[in-house]
């Protein structure tokens, strides 16, 4: 760990590194220290959610120095990125991808590595580069600093990663005047500057010349400008600003699956003779089978389409027997309080329902058959619970009620039809199993806000 720390500070001193960690602990960690590291982690999560990234970075870094874990490393990288420390963030993401997983790693470790891999793809292209040329070249005992931190002499004239922001570059050498330049480095840019050293004897060694490499932009010394403070978080383009880790879960998905329910009819129905009869006298509770597909958006809301058919239990009244069924097609709008775990779910909707009763009357050895049917525009209301049963599988036990008024009842028992109206309620109590397919390419499952043992 001490070796790692020296390496981290050396990189930070150059302005190009990151506090890289090794997954091996230098010494055993006591249960008390491990518990304290968990507390630091939880405190860091709350600070990160409050956009207090510098304080959160301190907590995560200290927690990681006690227990090196992917969950800590991911949060450290996210805080660096939020603070504009893109080089440090990228190096930590890379270190996270190299983390040697133990056998049967905790799910939070796996999630952190997967999430880090996706986030790294957005950070890597944003890291700018700066090339510093010094004239004359190969000056003995040349010293170059960036923001008062020394630059290795081997990196003079070499493009190197640097954080976006305003940087002060200074070149000095015995026998030469001091040369300095302030440069405002933009995200994604490849820039270059030239520092001209003048001999104290008055000899000027060559003019400042623009680089011949077209991929770099020659920067002139700033004049009269008021640069923004170094390391100020940069402005982001639309869709690029990082979200807190708890918001990196899927915001958009497509879901599809079946549902099976117990169907319970209630209310009234118009008979073939135009009379009104209780639904319970025509149909007993039965089974309903349906399928639902929809789109979840803004993380918590969804639109869906449902089709469902129900077959009710047979009813016998003396010589008369009734066999009823119904069909529903509906559109719904709903809310899921937590699509990534245990949650409350509710929806409302409107649909079209048809209800049909097949009847038969046996008398004197003969059987007369007929059919009575009606339709209704139904209002739907449903409540239930949401369980994440796997990476893409969701289980939803739910109660739904469909309310409507049957009208235009038609029968082939007789030549007459009736347009009398009756109100009804059809209840379903059942279980749905949905396949939830993530459509948000930037999202991954958020790591559990705790620090599992390595």
């Amino acid at each position: 760990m001490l070796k790692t720390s020296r390496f981290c500070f050396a990189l930070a001193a150059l302005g190009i590194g990151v506090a890289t960690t090794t997954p091996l602990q230098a010494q055993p960690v006591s249960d008390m220290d491990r518990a304290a590291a968990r507390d630091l982690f939880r405190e860091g999560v709350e600070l990160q959610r409050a956009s207090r990234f510098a304080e959160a970075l301190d907590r995560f870094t200290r927690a990681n120095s006690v227990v090196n874990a992917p969950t800590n490393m991911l949060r450290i990288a996210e805080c660096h990125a939020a603070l504009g420390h893109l080089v440090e963030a990228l190096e930590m993401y890379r270190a996270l991808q190299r983390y040697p997983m133990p056998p049967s790693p905790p799910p939070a470790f796996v999630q952190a590595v997967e999430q880090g891999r996706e986030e790294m793809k957005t950070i890597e292209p944003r890291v700018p580069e700066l090339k510093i040329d010094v004239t004359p070249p190969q000056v003995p005992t040349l010293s170059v600093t960036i923001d008062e931190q020394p630059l290795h002499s081997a990196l003079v004239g070499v493009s190197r990663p640097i954080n976006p922001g305003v940087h002060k570059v200074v070149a000095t050498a015995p026998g030469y005047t001091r040369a300095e330049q302030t440069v405002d480095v933009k995200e994604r840019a490849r820039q270059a500057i030239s520092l001209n050293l003048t001999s104290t004897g008055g000899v000027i060694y060559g003019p400042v010349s623009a680089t011949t490499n077209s991929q770099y932009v020659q920067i002139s010394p700033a004049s009269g400008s008021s640069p923004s403070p170094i390391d100020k978080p940069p402005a982001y383009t639309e869709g690029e600003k990082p979200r807190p880790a708890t918001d990196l879960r899927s915001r958009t998905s497509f879901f599809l699956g079946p549902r099976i329910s117990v169907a319970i009819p209630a209310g009234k129905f118009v008979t073939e003779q135009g009379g009104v009869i209780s639904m319970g006298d025509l149909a007993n509770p039965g089974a309903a089978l349906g399928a639902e597909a929809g789109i979840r958006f803004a993380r918590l809301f969804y639109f869906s389409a449902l089709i469902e058919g129900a077959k009710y239990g047979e009813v016998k009244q003396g010589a008369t027997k009734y066999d009823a069924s119904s069909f529903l097609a509906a559109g719904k709008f709903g809310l899921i309080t937590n699509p990534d775990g245990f949650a409350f779910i509710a929806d409302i909707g409107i649909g079209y329902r048809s209800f049909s009763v097949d009847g038969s009357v046996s008398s004197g050895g003969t059987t007369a058959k007929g059919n009575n049917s009606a339709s209704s525009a139904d209002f739907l209301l449903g409540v239930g619970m949401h369980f994440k049963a796997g990476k893409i599988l969701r289980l939803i036990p739910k109660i739904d009620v469909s309310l409507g008024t049957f009208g235009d009842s038609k029968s082939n028992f007789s030549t007459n039809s009736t347009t009398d109206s009756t109100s009804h309620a059809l209840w379903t109590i059942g279980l749905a199993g949905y396949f939830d397919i993530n459509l948000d390419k930037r999202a991954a499952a958020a790591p559990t806000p705790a620090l599992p043992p390595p």
Side-chain angles (χ1 to χ4, degrees), residues 67-238:
V67 179
N68 180 249
T71 45
N72 278 325
M73 298 169 71
L74 174 66
R75 300 285 184 152
I76 291 171
E78 290 175 341
C79 288
H80 273 306
L83 291 168
H85 308 160
L86 301 186
V87 176
E88 289 86 346
L90 181 58
E91 289 304 310
M92 183 56 75
Y93 281 125
R94 288 171 175 166
L96 176 59
Q97 300 309 305
R98 296 192 298 268
Y99 187 92
M101 288 290 188
S104 302
F109 280 23
V110 177
Q111 291 173 356
V113 173
E114 291 177 353
Q115 182 171 331
R117 184 180 301 115
E118 293 303 314
E119 293 179 9
M120 184 171 66
K121 294 177 183 178
T122 67
I123 296 297
E124 194 166 20
R126 291 171 50 198
V127 178
E129 294 183 358
L130 178 65
K131 185 170 78 165
I132 302 170
D133 292 310
V134 177
T135 304
Q138 299 179 347
V139 174
T141 63
L142 173 67
S143 174
V144 178
T145 62
I146 302 176
D147 302 324
E148 300 183 352
Q149 301 299 321
L151 172 68
H152 197 288
S153 59
L155 297 179
V156 175
V158 176
S159 179
R160 61 189 288 280
I162 192 170
N163 285 324
V166 177
H167 300 277
K168 183 178 180 180
V169 184
V170 177
T172 59
Y176 296 89
T177 58
R178 171 189 173 102
E180 69 176 62
Q181 190 172 143
T182 299
V183 56
D184 188 1
V185 179
K186 304 297 184 182
E187 282 194 18
R188 305 176 186 271
R190 290 175 175 264
Q191 300 175 204
I193 62 172
S194 291
L195 297 177
N196 184 29
L197 293 177
T198 304
S199 169
T200 54
V203 179
I204 300 177
Y205 288 83
V208 177
S209 59
T211 177
T212 57
N213 191 335
S214 60
Q215 67 175 322
Y216 296 99
V217 177
Q218 190 72 24
I219 304 299
S220 299
S223 60
S225 61
S226 179
S228 57
I230 295 176
D231 287 340
K232 179 180 179 181
Y236 295 92
T237 58
E238 184 65 27

Side-chain angles (χ1 to χ4, degrees), residues 51-70:
S51 298
R52 296 163 62 180
F53 300 112
E55 297 171 77
L57 177 60
D58 171 72
R59 305 305 191 274
F60 293 135
T61 301
R62 286 197 277 168
N64 201 52
S65 68
V66 179
V67 179
N68 180 249

Side-chain angles (χ1 to χ4, degrees), residues 16 18 57 59 64 91 93 95 133 204 206 272-273 285 289 315 328 364 367 427 453:
I16 61 173
V18 63
L57 177 60
R59 305 305 191 274
N64 201 52
E91 289 304 310
Y93 281 125
D133 292 310
I204 300 177
E272 64 272 16
Q273 291 83 14
L289 182 63
V315 173
L328 171 69
T367 301
W427 295 81

Side-chain angles (χ1 to χ4, degrees), residues 2 17 65 70 75 283 287 298 340 383 391 430:
L2 294 177
S65 68
R75 300 285 184 152
D340 298 292
V383 293
K391 186 173 183 180

Side-chain angles (χ1 to χ4, degrees), residues 285-305:
L289 182 63
E292 188 170 5
I295 294 290
R296 178 169 56 85
F297 62 96
R299 184 166 147 70
L300 303 180
F301 304 97
Y302 67 88
F303 286 114
S304 67

